[in-house]
Amino acid sequence: MGLPKRLTEMQKRFAEFIVFGGPDGPVSKTEAAILAGYSPKRAPQEGSELTNPRHSPLVVAYVGKLHEERLQKHEVTYARHVAELDRIKQAALKKGSFSSAVNAEVSRGKAAGLYIDRKIIKTGKLEDLTEQQLEAKMKQILDDYAPLLNLKTVDGESQDITASLPSSPKEEESSSDHQK
């Protein structure tokens, strides 16, 4: 018996289930065979034979063609990417979702190369610094973060200013009322 010259409808459905999955997502060869209409008793054997190039070269070629079409359909190109971001932006504007529209436009700008993300990563060890360099670095850190640490620097020395803040309950209440 020679090889068939064209695919049957069941073979086409099997290949489509293998590539695109079933109603609940990806399926095994056996599940694809059953969904395509093959007997549940023979489904494991049919699934194996239909994916074997020696037994079913036309089915294997069709599965490959479907895979290729699917890849091309979902391929990300610069033009498609920018067009899709524009479509998302327009839809967001129609719905009045300006934040989403701005994010889509920024993403388009990044894709077009209008924005440059720049990160500087410095490496090194504290052990490699001299004592004077360490002291200078600690002073710089304290000066930079003094507002966050409630510190003030006097003659190169950092002092905690929370001790000099008023601590009476009345003053604390009035200061919190301003924040509300």
Side-chain angles (χ1 to χ4, degrees):
M1 180 174 158
L3 293 175
K5 296 187 181 191
R6 60 189 169 119
L7 293 173
T8 66
E9 286 302 313
M10 286 175 60
Q11 289 172 330
K12 287 180 182 178
R13 284 196 307 266
F14 172 82
E16 290 165 1
F17 282 121
I18 286 292
V19 174
F20 302 113
D24 298 326
V27 294
S28 67
K29 295 176 188 179
T30 302
E31 293 168 329
I34 293 170
L35 290 169
Y38 290 95
S39 163
K41 289 182 180 180
R42 265 198 52 80
Q45 186 176 350
E46 288 291 345
S48 178
E49 289 176 1
L50 289 171
T51 55
N52 185 334
R54 285 186 172 171
H55 291 280
S56 304
L58 294 176
V59 176
V60 172
Y62 188 59
V63 167
K65 178 184 167 197
L66 290 175
H67 272 296
E68 192 62 36
E69 287 176 5
R70 186 174 184 194
L71 286 175
Q72 286 179 353
K73 178 182 176 187
H74 298 291
E75 180 183 20
V76 176
T77 64
Y78 175 75
R80 282 188 191 169
H81 177 64
V82 173
E84 180 66 12
L85 288 171
D86 186 53
R87 187 191 65 75
I88 292 168
K89 180 187 82 169
Q90 296 305 326
L93 286 173
K94 284 180 184 175
K95 288 186 176 183
S97 180
F98 298 107
S99 175
S100 298
V102 167
N103 287 337
E105 187 60 27
V106 168
S107 295
R108 282 182 57 201
K110 286 180 181 179
L114 299 176
Y115 298 95
I116 298 172
D117 284 335
R118 188 172 137 194
K119 295 178 184 174
I120 299 173
I121 300 172
K122 295 183 177 181
T123 59
K125 296 180 181 178
L126 291 175
E127 294 85 27
D128 296 340
L129 298 177
T130 65
E131 191 173 331
Q132 290 82 16
Q133 290 172 325
L134 277 173
E135 287 177 5
K137 186 71 173 168
M138 289 189 306
K139 183 184 179 316
Q140 178 189 357
I141 291 170
L142 287 173
D143 289 344
D144 290 346
Y145 293 99
L148 299 173
L149 300 171
N150 292 327
L151 298 175
K152 66 178 181 179
T153 305
V154 178
D155 299 327
E157 295 289 319
S158 298
Q159 299 174 348
D160 187 355
I161 61 170
T162 55
S164 64
L165 291 176
S167 60
S168 69
K170 288 182 184 176
E171 291 177 354
E172 286 179 14
E173 288 175 18
S174 65
S175 65
S176 65
D177 288 343
H178 292 293
Q179 292 174 351
K180 293 180 184 174

